[in-house]
């Protein structure tokens, strides 16, 4: 596996739900090699400042025709500049980076748990799991109906989607982790495996639940990054075996290996 | 017109004056997919210590205006594993590898130099200026003349390898420190390491770094770094490696013009791993356009009109 750096052409950059955008770039080298859970490191502008560092984004999908998709939420300066990028422009990308999910093992039912924008890497993951003939239950959490992401992407896939919103405006009125807990309680005799991405408090609950139900679970960790390739040692995550790097050893870790505090 | 970019630092022969800084390029192979490592002037490896160090608690980095703070805390695998796992690759390169070492005590520095002597390493960089670890006296060796003299002369007695001493900018008078390093037997001085700094999250009222304070690097520090390189270069006769916020070839030339014999690229690698390559090309073009045949013809050519 190799990482690439290049100025890749933007095919589209469109607004979706909840202040998020879907960016599509033609990046055949990177798209071909990308695995679910890996990320790319973007330089959103060529000036020296604002923002200074690159920004990491999960590969939301990497389609056979060389297109790399990124789903991002506008948060600060970097993502707001990114949202202004126009079709036809070029974007400096390094990737694919990181380990990605281990999705080649077994035939257990896959419980995919997405919190907010954490859904991004889980689209690509679900597609690969389905391709491998796995049964996928997709649990998607959002604050409110207007923030529910990836409606179209999920509709095109053959999987069972359970949506939960904090205010009950769509799906179940509950935290997505409660949905997961109820599901585990009901189905605990089945062979299952969890894949999750989202805010750290959510992942911490996933880790606890997978421990209680003695289930394997893989979580994607969001850390501040500078280099993205394992040289600055800035993205440390505390694990049972000491510090690991989110950009190189991760971003996907076994939930049970992380020391959550 | 062909231009000659080669420089010699002590006995280190480099094809060009653009090296990569400790802690920003790993041990050389990490950027291998993106950068032709053999096109660099030299590589300075991540600082290695006697025992493995696990580093500081996260968050270890934070972004700031035109720069970043880091408090990595010298996480490294320790000299034994370094020799076993990293040195063979570094030896296979055509460019000089400079091994950066640090200790909590003079004895640790000496011991590291001894170990690397046995491996016949050609060049060492003494990192006596990491702001994220402190000696037992609660300061860096590079913060006073006595500290510098003590550690540099002790290592000098131990090794014939080219000795680069990396200085901290967190001092009152950099000239005094630079001269102390030269007198104590340094072959080369390199400056600057990062500037002590901090950032606060105003929502949570907590420091943005797990270690509370850290070191500032990147273009934010360039003018100060440049001033310090200028001052240091004007008072020592040994070669000087200039660094601190270099992002492009224009920055690199500023350092060379004020007296740096070579430059080192740190944080810029994170923004663009190909910065070094672009800097070498930029310097070449600048020289060719002005009919300057050798890079030495540029070093310290600053003109000051004091009329
Ligand atoms: C491996 C990885 C994959 C990611 N994938 C995606 C993705 O697919 N889609 C997406 O929208 N975002 C993703 N992120 C988060 C994304 O990198 C940040 O949202 C982005 O860097 C914010 O940049 P900004 O300049 O807009 O915000 P800033 O101005 O830098 O910050 C604005 C706010 O966002 C927070 N923030 C900044 N960086 C991060 C970060 N790395 N993680 C969490 N919060 C952060 C800050 O604390 C601050 O509150 C990912 C992060 C990592 C490490
Ligand atoms: C993430 C990071 C890690 C660093 N680690 C080391 C180190 O291990 N040893 C060292 O001597 N300097 C270290 N430095 C300092 C750099 O080598 C360099 O001196 C400094 O960053 C200033 O140059 P720059 O502005 O070009 O980055 C580190 C800097 C950064 C940003
Ligand atoms: S971001 Fe630099 S090591 Fe992970």
């Amino acid at each position: 596996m190799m990482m690439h750096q290049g100025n890749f052409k933007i095919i589209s950059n469109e607004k979706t739900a909840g202040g998020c955008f879907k960016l599509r770039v033609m990046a055949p080298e990177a798209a071909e090699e990308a695995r679910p859970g890996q990320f790319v490191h973007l330089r959103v502008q060529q000036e020296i400042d604002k923002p200074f560092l690159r920004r990491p984004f999960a590969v939301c999908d990497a389609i056979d025709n060389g297109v790399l998709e990124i789903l991002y939420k506008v948060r600060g300066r970097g993502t707001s500049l990114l949202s202004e990028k126009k079709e036809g422009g070029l974007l400096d990308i390094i990737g694919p980076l990181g380990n990605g999910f281990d999705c080649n093992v077994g035939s257990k039912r896959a419980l995919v748990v997405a919190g907010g924008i954490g859904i991004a890497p889980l689209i690509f993951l679900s597609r690969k799991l389905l391709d491998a003939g796995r049964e996928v239950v997709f649990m998607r959490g959002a604050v409110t109906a207007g923030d529910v992401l990836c409606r179209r992407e999920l509709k095109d896939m053959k999987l069972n989607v359970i949506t939960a919103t904090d205010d009950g405006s769509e799906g179940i009125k509950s935290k997505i982790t409660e949905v997961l807990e109820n599901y585990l309680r009901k189905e605990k005799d089945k062979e299952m495996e969890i894949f999750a991405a989202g805010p750290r408090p959510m992942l911490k609950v996933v880790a606890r639940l997978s421990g209680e139900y003695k289930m394997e679970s893989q979580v994607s960790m969001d850390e501040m990054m500078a280099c993205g390739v394992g040289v600055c040692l800035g993205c440390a995550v505390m694990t049972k075996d000491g510090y690991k790097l989110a950009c190189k050893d991760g971003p996907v870790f076994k939930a049970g290996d992380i020391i959550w505090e | 017109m062909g231009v000659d970019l080669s420089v010699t630092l002590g006995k280190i022969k480099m094809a060009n004056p653009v090296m990569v800084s400790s802690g920003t390029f790993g041990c050389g192979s990490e950027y291998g997919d993106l950068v032709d490592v053999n096109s660099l002037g030299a590589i300075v490896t991540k600082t290695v210590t006697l025992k493995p160090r696990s580093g500081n608690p996260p968050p270890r980095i934070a972004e700031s205006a035109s720069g970043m703070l880091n408090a990595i805390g010298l996480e490294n695998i320790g000299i034994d594993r370094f020799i076993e796992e990293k040195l063979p690759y570094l030896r296979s390169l055509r460019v000089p590898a400079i091994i950066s070492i640090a200790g909590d005590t003079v004895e640790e520095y000496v011991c590291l130099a001894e170990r690397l002597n046995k491996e016949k390493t050609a060049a060492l960089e003494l990192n006596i200026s990491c702001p994220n670890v402190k000696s037992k006296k609660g300061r860096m060796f590079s913060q006073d003349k006595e500290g510098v003299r003590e550690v540099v002369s002790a290592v000098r007695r131990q090794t014939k390898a080219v000795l680069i001493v990396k200085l901290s900018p967190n001092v009152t008078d950099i000239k005094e420190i630079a001269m102390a390093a030269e007198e104590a037997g340094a072959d080369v001085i390199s400056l600057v390491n990062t500037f002590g700094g901090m950032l606060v999250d105003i929502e949570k009222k907590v420091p943005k770094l797990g270690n509370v304070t850290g070191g500032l690097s990147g273009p934010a520090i360039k003018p100060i770094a440049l001033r310090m390189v200028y001052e240091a270069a004007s008072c020592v006769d040994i070669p000087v490696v200039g660094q601190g916020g270099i992002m492009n070839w224009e920055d690199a030339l500023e350092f060379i013009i004020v007296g740096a014999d070579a430059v080192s690229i740190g944080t810029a690698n994170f923004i663009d791993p190909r910065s070094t390559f672009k800097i070498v090309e930029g310097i070449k073009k600048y020289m060719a356009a002005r009919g300057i045949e050798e890079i030495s013809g540029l070093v310290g050519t600053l003109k000051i009109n004091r009329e």
Side-chain angles (χ1 to χ4, degrees), chain A residues 39 55-58 71-73 75-79 117 120 221-225 251:
Chain A
F39 67 98
R55 294 289 188 263
F57 297 95
L71 179 71
Y72 62 96
K73 186 181 172 79
R75 275 202 242 230
R77 180 79 183 161
T79 44
I117 187 66
M221 303 292 287
D222 224 17
E223 297 297 327
M224 285 295 294
M225 290 184 179

Side-chain angles (χ1 to χ4, degrees), chain A residues 35-37 60-61 100-113 119 121-139 154 157-160 192-196 216 218 252:
Chain A
R35 294 191 313 269
C60 178
D61 214 341
F101 290 102
D102 179 1
C103 54
N104 296 321
V105 282
S107 57
K108 292 177 189 164
R109 179 185 298 171
L111 306 185
V112 177
V113 187
I119 199 168
L122 302 176
I123 298 298
F124 190 17
L125 171 75
S126 299
R127 209 164 55 76
K128 288 280 180 196
L129 289 170
L130 290 170
D131 286 351
R134 302 270 296 264
E135 185 191 353
V136 177
V137 179
F138 200 103
M139 302 179 187
L154 289 173
M157 286 191 245
K158 269 217 183 90
L159 39 68
N160 176 9
M192 298 186 289
E193 182 185 6
I194 302 172
F195 300 86
E216 289 279 304
Q218 300 178 39
V252 180

Side-chain angles (χ1 to χ4, degrees), chain A:
Chain A
M1 198 194 59
M2 222 183 136
M3 59 171 145
H4 302 272
Q5 181 183 8
N7 285 304
F8 297 109
K9 194 174 230 160
I10 298 169
I11 301 170
S12 64
N13 187 20
E14 284 160 9
K15 196 163 188 159
T16 67
C20 293
F21 285 73
K22 180 72 140 325
L23 174 76
R24 301 170 75 238
V25 283
M26 183 51 89
E29 300 93 331
E32 254 162 50
E33 300 209 12
R35 294 191 313 269
Q38 287 191 298
F39 67 98
V40 292
H41 217 21
L42 302 188
R43 188 169 182 194
V44 297
Q45 50 86 37
Q46 295 297 311
E47 298 305 311
I48 273 169
D49 205 6
K50 292 186 178 160
F52 176 60
L53 296 170
R54 283 177 181 265
R55 294 289 188 263
F57 297 95
V59 175
C60 178
D61 214 341
I63 305 160
D64 299 337
N65 55 7
V67 177
L68 198 86
E69 295 191 347
I70 291 157
L71 179 71
Y72 62 96
K73 186 181 172 79
V74 174
R75 275 202 242 230
R77 180 79 183 161
T79 44
S80 96
L81 268 178
L82 193 58
S83 72
E84 291 161 18
K85 300 277 173 198
K86 296 279 178 294
E87 173 190 338
L90 295 176
L91 202 53
D92 179 350
I93 297 179
I94 299 177
L97 301 169
N99 61 350
F101 290 102
D102 179 1
C103 54
N104 296 321
V105 282
S107 57
K108 292 177 189 164
R109 179 185 298 171
L111 306 185
V112 177
V113 187
I117 187 66
I119 199 168
L122 302 176
I123 298 298
F124 190 17
L125 171 75
S126 299
R127 209 164 55 76
K128 288 280 180 196
L129 289 170
L130 290 170
D131 286 351
R134 302 270 296 264
E135 185 191 353
V136 177
V137 179
F138 200 103
M139 302 179 187
R140 166 177 60 177
V143 175
T144 182
D147 292 344
V148 172
L149 292 166
C150 297
R151 295 175 191 279
R152 186 172 41 81
E153 290 84 344
L154 289 173
K155 209 172 75 201
D156 294 344
M157 286 191 245
K158 269 217 183 90
L159 39 68
N160 176 9
V161 182
I162 306 171
T163 302
T165 51
D166 294 349
D167 64 359
S169 53
E170 182 170 338
I172 308 166
K173 181 175 186 217
S174 144
K175 289 263 165 229
I176 199 64
T177 43
E178 287 163 21
V179 173
L180 173 67
E181 185 159 15
N182 289 333
Y183 190 94
L184 292 175
R185 203 176 297 128
K186 259 195 317 214
E187 303 278 313
K188 59 175 175 288
D189 305 330
K190 302 270 171 13
E191 287 254 78
M192 298 186 289
E193 182 185 6
I194 302 172
F195 300 86
R200 195 182 170 101
M202 173 197 125
L203 299 180
K204 189 175 169 180
V205 177
V206 169
R208 174 176 59 77
L209 291 173
S210 61
E212 279 171 27
Y213 287 88
K214 303 204 169 36
M215 215 174 277
E216 289 279 304
S217 72
Q218 300 178 39
V219 296
S220 180
M221 303 292 287
D222 224 17
E223 297 297 327
M224 285 295 294
M225 290 184 179
C227 71
V229 303
V231 300
C232 77
L233 313 183
C235 59
V237 175
M238 189 44 129
T239 73
K240 281 182 188 158
D241 303 321
Y243 287 122
K244 298 273 176 193
L245 299 177
C247 71
K248 202 174 116 204
D249 307 311
V252 180
F253 295 90
K254 286 193 172 144
D257 287 350
I258 305 270
I259 301 200
W260 297 91
E261 272 112 48

